[in-house]
């Protein structure tokens, strides 16, 4: 049990340093919802989600009140819908009907987002996978809170370049379908390499087929807490700096562990994992970028940024794994540009470029996240960016991702506003040198030699 000193420290972190639990996420298996009949699938999906998650939001709110710990989001993840709909769906419109059933059920139980409108195509696409991917412009524009992901590669299988090429076009179409809202549909989609089965964060969350019927995952936050702790490390050596981050991550994770165990017990659902990720918000003082700058950078993007991020990521994990036996998801430091006030400023000034962000993704939790680019960017260029980021994940045996928004009608220097936690972002330039001959080759990039470990 926490002692009185831990209670005081936790209260300070919540009241003064913007500590929160970013999400309680319930994962729900929909494998038993499969049918040859589309209406039956939709009905089964709706009924199971409502049955399992009916008390999720109120339970989260009660824990907030009783423990005084803010819980920003309550979310649901489900089995990848390409699997659930494979027997019943013969057209893209069929998959859209399932997306609408997901949206209806999620809004019925009151959660903020639902993830799992997903296809896993790291080696090749089935007909159902391709139909789901092609349905994304409709599905994401005609639903409110459905989030989608496609896993296009892995260290074991390589990169499915046919899927990557298709996603370049599909992302452009999603942007066009939601152009009246700064192409917001793209905010709800992410392309992965090495996607984890137990990620509680959106847009990439889904309930992996290795999971049970239902599970509770918790994603913590806390960049503001780490930033305040680093005030004591100014002028000190790297050992002191690392110890400060590590100890702070331990304390943050203890809070997440408490919430996760309490939620799981009250809902009668097994506890899954704690995701240790430092997830920023657009609010001043709740920024991973600020943490990097307190480590010693004048601005994020300066020389040394990748090294500072590597240090931060590693110490967060070292501290967190001592506080919980079940750490999973993405776990580390997120660098979503639009959701981080200091990164927004660095991108607007030109100090933080897409090339520097790509380098940073080699050592952080995810990848190129919440980056707004000119709407005129070609599908081939977007596919090339996805391929580059997937290659980093494949070779380095880590999760990488691309959540990029080609904002229709806007160009470099203008601002896109996504609202709420999604924030706002300056449109930043991309390299428009033609890569079409590369991305238009058929087939897949083979797995690297170090994948053969059987």
């Amino acid at each position: 049990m926490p002692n009185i000193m831990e209670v005081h420290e936790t209260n300070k972190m919540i009241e003064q340093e913007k500590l929160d639990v970013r999400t309680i996420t319930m994962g729900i298996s929909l494998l038993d919802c499969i049918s040859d009949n589309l209406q039956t699938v939709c009905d089964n999906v709706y009924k199971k989600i409502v049955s399992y998650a009916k008390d999720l939001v109120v339970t989260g709110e009660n824990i907030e009140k009783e423990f005084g710990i803010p819980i920003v989001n309550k979310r649901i993840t489900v089995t990848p819908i390409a699997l659930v709909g494979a027997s019943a769906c013969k057209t893209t419109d069929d998959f859209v009907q399932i997306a609408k059933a997901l949206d209806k059920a999620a809004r019925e139980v009151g959660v903020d987002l639902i993830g799992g409108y997903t296809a896993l195509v790291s080696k090749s696409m089935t007909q159902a996978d391709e139909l789901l991917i092609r349905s994304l412009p409709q599905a994401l524009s005609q639903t409110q809170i459905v989030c989608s992901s496609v896993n296009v590669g892995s260290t074991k299988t390589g990169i499915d370049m046919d899927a990557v090429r298709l996603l370049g076009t599909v992302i452009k179409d999603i942007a066009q379908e939601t152009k009246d809202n700064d192409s917001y549909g793209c905010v709800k989609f992410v392309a992965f390499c090495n996607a984890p089965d137990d990620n509680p964060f959106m847009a990439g969350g889904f309930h992996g087929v290795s999971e049970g019927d239902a599970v509770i995952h918790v994603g913590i936050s806390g960049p503001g807490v780490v930033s305040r702790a680093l005030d004591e490390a100014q002028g000190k050596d790297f050992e002191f700096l690392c110890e400060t981050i590590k100890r702070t991550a331990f304390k943050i994770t203890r809070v997440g562990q408490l919430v996760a165990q309490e939620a799981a017990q009250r809902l009668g659902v097994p506890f899954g994992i704690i995701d240790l990720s430092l997830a920023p918000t657009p609010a001043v003082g709740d920024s991973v970028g600020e943490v990097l700058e307190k480590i010693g950078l004048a601005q994020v993007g300066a020389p040394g940024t990748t090294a500072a991020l590597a240090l931060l990521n590693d110490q967060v994990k070292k501290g967190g794994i001592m506080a919980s036996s079940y750490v999973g998801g993405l776990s580390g430091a997120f660098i979503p540009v639009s959701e981080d006030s200091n990164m927004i400023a660095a991108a607007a000034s030109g100090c933080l470029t897409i090339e520097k962000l790509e380098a940073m993704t080699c050592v952080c939790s995810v990848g190129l996240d919440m980056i707004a680019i000119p709407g005129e960017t070609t599908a081939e260029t977007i596919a090339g960016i996805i391929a580059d980021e997937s290659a980093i994940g494949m070779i380095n045996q880590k999760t990488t991702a691309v959540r990029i928004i080609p904002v229709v009608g806007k160009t470099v220097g203008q601002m896109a506003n996504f609202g709420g936690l999604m924030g706002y972002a300056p449109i930043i330039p991309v390299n428009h040198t033609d890569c079409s001959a590369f991305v238009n080759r058929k087939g897949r990039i083979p797995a690297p030699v170090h994948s053969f470990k059987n």
Side-chain angles (χ1 to χ4, degrees), residues 337-407:
V337 173
S338 77
E339 300 173 31
D340 188 304
S341 59
N342 289 56
M343 290 192 182
I344 292 168
S349 73
C351 185
L352 187 62
T353 65
I354 197 166
E355 289 79 13
K356 185 61 176 178
L357 282 162
E358 183 179 298
M360 293 164 68
T361 66
C362 298
V363 299
C364 74
S365 284
V366 197
L368 296 170
D369 195 13
M370 291 300 293
I371 297 171
I373 61 173
E376 64 185 10
T377 305
T378 66
E380 290 80 8
T381 295
I382 294 170
I385 292 170
I386 295 172
D388 283 344
E389 193 60 34
S390 298
I392 290 172
M394 177 184 71
I395 295 297
N396 291 293
Q397 304 178 71
K398 70 183 295 292
T399 302
T400 53
V402 175
R403 185 162 49 151
I404 199 163
I405 304 102
V407 184

Side-chain angles (χ1 to χ4, degrees), residues 9 36 89 112 115 149 204 229 243 277 316 328 338 346 360 371 386 398:
E9 283 186 328
D36 292 335
C89 295
D112 300 281
S149 57
E243 285 297 313
S277 300
V316 165
S338 77
M360 293 164 68
I371 297 171
I386 295 172
K398 70 183 295 292

Side-chain angles (χ1 to χ4, degrees), residues 6 8 36 54 66 76 115 127-128 130 162 181 194 268 271 283 288 334 364 382 408 411 415 443 449:
E6 286 183 298
H8 288 319
D36 292 335
K54 63 182 184 299
E66 292 175 34
I76 295 169
Q127 182 181 16
E130 185 171 345
D162 293 330
N181 192 21
N194 290 323
F271 162 53
V288 171
F334 284 1
C364 74
I382 294 170
V408 174
T411 189
M415 195 70 70
V449 66

